[in-house]
Amino acid sequence: MNYSFHPAAEAEFLESVGYYESKVPGLGGAFIEEFEALANLVGESPKAWRVELQPDIRRAPLH
């Protein structure tokens, strides 16, 4: 699956990775893996997620 970040979202994502990594070594990598797994799941079944903003912006919670 291909996806792209808005530049501000990418900065926030990378900041989050750095934060988690600073708390526990390896946690930033685990966060990336969790995100990628969710992105793949969304890519496989995009209509399974609730539309947040028309026409087709959906939300999928990241745990």
Side-chain angles (χ1 to χ4, degrees):
M1 177 185 137
N2 293 324
Y3 58 84
S4 62
F5 281 108
H6 182 279
E10 182 176 20
E12 184 178 342
F13 177 74
L14 294 175
E15 182 180 326
S16 297
V17 170
Y19 171 80
Y20 289 125
E21 192 64 29
S22 75
K23 296 301 178 186
V24 177
L27 193 56
F31 179 66
I32 292 170
E33 288 176 14
E34 180 71 18
F35 174 82
E36 289 176 346
L38 180 60
N40 287 328
L41 184 61
V42 169
E44 292 169 4
S45 302
K47 301 281 187 200
W49 309 97
R50 184 178 76 166
V51 173
E52 286 289 314
L53 183 64
Q54 293 294 340
D56 200 26
I57 305 296
R58 296 172 186 271
R59 177 183 298 227
L62 182 62
H63 298 285

